[in-house]
Amino acid sequence: MRLGIIGLPSSGKTTLFKALTGADLQVEDWSGGGRVQVHAAVVDIPDPRLDALSEMQRPRKTTYAKVTYAVVGGLQVDPGQHGFPGKFVNQLDQMDGLILVLRAFEDPAIPHPSGSVDASRDLRTMLAEFLLHDMMAVERALDGLREQRQKRGAQERVEIDRRLALFERLAATLNEERPLRVMHLDRDEEQLLAGYGLLTHKRLLSVVNIAEGGTAPELGSIGEEMQSIAMQCKLEMEIAQLPEEEADAFLMEYGIEVSGRARVIQSSFEVLGLLSFFTVSDPEVRAWTLQRGGTALDAADTIHTDMARGFIRAEVIQWDELADLGGLTQARGVGKLRLEGKDYVVADGDVIYVRFNI
Ligand SMILES: Nc1nc2c(ncn2[C@@H]2O[C@H](COP(=O)(O)OP(=O)(O)OP(=O)(O)O)[C@@H](O)[C@H]2O)c(=O)[nH]1
Ligand SMILES: [Mg+2]
């Protein structure tokens, strides 16, 4: 999972990045100052369910699922006629989802590019800019496709017509001032969009960066199909730099029941429509991510393509039931491992053992 962190200058992108990754880097060094700069880090996705399975199995290795966070600078209040810089758009094109940081902390020493702090206004401005960007990109794509259609032979026209039909649907949605993510395009359609630099089909999560002890401002009706969470980014950044035991104590002291890091992951899974499943063996206990609606065959393919090719059956059990029983052997012994075929729809928290033959 790759998540791009974007936001206006000085909104707190780098601060959030450090809160999420625990990276200990000088914020100043990272100040994009409106330039398109990218800093990425890959971190483990914390998961207490995996911890419990690891505790049960005591494997040689425990492997968490991974998330890549990439700060992408270069978002401006008013990108003007030229729109967003191409490099900015190209970077976002590579992300599975976007995290938009909205500044809600007051600090006279840190000027806001619009002169005042108003998270709701910034959100509306950004959503409008993204929409405008996509409208222009889709118009350009349609012009290009129509032009190609004139020049090409019948065979290629079939493919061009397929794209034309899709882009016309995109244009209709955008003209209703709705983001493309409401269309729930399937995987093939999503693939056709790659390379066109569209932004509003990306799943979106906003993080409202509130001051220490501050309350979340009213955002008004937020954009369609997006989520928003409030987070004391600076405080959580400082806590993220502490050793784990101390960090937990501090979070409690500040009344933060669930860390921002965990909430961002949870919301990202929700907006991206992802779930986790697990594999358990002596060498390795491991967490994997899968698109919701994915089948046992998709899960097998995620683990190894050979497993999908030679798929026979999957043995499945929920993680907590397995942890109670003490292991796959014990679960099998009492008939608690369900046998599922390749079309079984995987549930969040399933432990899966794939039987395959190649
Ligand atoms: N007072 C206060 N300052 C904060 C808070 N969050 C972030 N800051 C400060 O605001 C400044 C900007 O934060 P950054 O995280 O660097 O913001 P950014 O979006 O990465 O900024 P650019 O990379 O320059 O676009 C830094 O000096 C932070 O320490 C907060 O909640 N309260
Ligand atoms: Mg920065």
Side-chain angles (χ1 to χ4, degrees), residues 228-255:
S228 173
I229 58 179
M231 181 169 161
Q232 303 168 61
C233 292
K234 197 173 178 201
L235 175 65
E236 294 223 24
M237 172 193 81
E238 283 155 9
I239 294 175
Q241 246 113 78
L242 301 170
E244 205 176 328
E245 320 80 59
E246 275 180 58
D248 288 345
F250 266 98
L251 286 173
M252 264 206 300
E253 195 176 314
Y254 283 98

Side-chain angles (χ1 to χ4, degrees), residues 8-15 17 26-34 37 39 71 73:
L8 292 174
S10 302
S11 52
K13 299 180 292 296
T14 304
T15 308
F17 177 84
Q26 289 289 309
V27 173
E28 289 74 17
D29 292 350
W30 285 57
S31 175
Q37 277 190 327
H39 293 286
V71 181

Side-chain angles (χ1 to χ4, degrees), residues 24-293:
D24 183 18
L25 293 148
Q26 289 289 309
V27 173
E28 289 74 17
D29 292 350
W30 285 57
S31 175
R35 278 173 297 134
V36 183
Q37 277 190 327
V38 187
H39 293 286
V42 183
V43 291
D44 286 346
I45 296 177
D47 192 333
R49 299 169 299 181
L50 187 70
D51 296 333
L53 290 171
S54 180
E55 183 73 18
M56 172 201 83
Q57 186 79 18
R58 304 205 169 271
R60 283 203 287 284
K61 190 169 147 202
T62 301
T63 308
Y64 292 82
K66 302 264 188 280
V67 55
T68 302
Y69 289 114
V71 181
V72 185
L75 188 59
Q76 300 284 351
V77 181
D78 181 10
Q81 274 196 324
H82 302 293
F84 299 121
K87 193 177 166 203
F88 175 77
V89 176
N90 290 344
Q91 284 296 330
L92 300 198
D93 214 22
Q94 296 164 33
M95 304 295 161
D96 300 313
L98 304 177
I99 299 177
L100 176 63
V101 182
L102 297 168
R103 172 175 170 180
F105 69 88
E106 295 278 356
D107 188 336
I110 301 164
H112 186 291
S114 298
S116 65
V117 175
D118 183 342
S120 168
R121 173 205 59 206
D122 291 349
L123 174 61
R124 277 179 281 120
T125 307
M126 290 304 122
L127 292 178
E129 290 293 348
F130 286 151
L131 205 65
L132 189 63
H133 168 88
D134 277 10
M135 283 175 170
M136 295 193 297
V138 166
E139 280 311 317
R140 264 199 313 275
L142 279 170
D143 288 346
L145 286 165
R146 286 186 191 119
E147 204 173 301
Q148 275 181 31
R149 196 178 185 285
Q150 304 287 324
K151 297 182 196 154
R152 301 296 157 91
Q155 217 172 5
E156 281 165 284
R157 272 196 204 155
V158 177
E159 174 58 27
I160 294 172
D161 283 343
R162 204 161 71 95
R163 283 176 193 247
L164 269 172
L166 173 63
F167 276 82
E168 269 156 14
R169 278 169 57 217
L170 303 184
T173 302
L174 293 167
N175 286 336
E176 289 168 18
E177 305 200 351
R178 300 178 74 201
L180 298 177
R181 69 183 80 86
V182 305
M183 294 176 71
H184 296 283
L185 300 174
D186 64 32
R187 215 182 298 177
D188 292 343
E189 292 170 323
E190 282 280 344
Q191 260 165 17
L192 287 184
L193 302 191
Y196 285 98
L198 298 173
L199 299 176
T200 68
H201 67 117
K202 298 284 176 191
R203 301 293 180 264
L204 186 63
L205 169 67
S206 74
V207 170
V208 182
N209 181 14
I210 54 176
E212 188 181 321
T215 47
E218 195 48 63
L219 283 186
S221 76
I222 62 171
E224 274 185 281
E225 308 239 346
M226 62 171 286
Q227 287 198 12
S228 173
I229 58 179
M231 181 169 161
Q232 303 168 61
C233 292
K234 197 173 178 201
L235 175 65
E236 294 223 24
M237 172 193 81
E238 283 155 9
I239 294 175
Q241 246 113 78
L242 301 170
E244 205 176 328
E245 320 80 59
E246 275 180 58
D248 288 345
F250 266 98
L251 286 173
M252 264 206 300
E253 195 176 314
Y254 283 98
I256 301 171
E257 272 175 44
V258 186
S259 70
R261 198 191 288 213
R263 285 190 299 136
V264 166
I265 288 287
Q266 197 196 333
S267 294
S268 301
F269 266 61
E270 283 166 22
V271 294
L272 289 171
L274 297 174
L275 57 77
S276 304
F277 73 92
F278 308 101
T279 51
V280 165
S281 69
D282 283 333
E284 190 182 39
V285 167
R286 180 160 179 173
W288 307 82
T289 44
L290 188 70
Q291 202 70 43
R292 275 185 194 279

Side-chain angles (χ1 to χ4, degrees), residues 334-355:
V334 293
K336 290 287 188 186
L337 280 189
R338 300 190 321 269
L339 281 180
E340 302 283 4
K342 64 180 189 329
D343 294 330
Y344 167 71
V345 175
V346 176
D348 189 37
D350 274 348
V351 176
I352 298 187
Y353 185 88
V354 178
R355 298 205 164 273

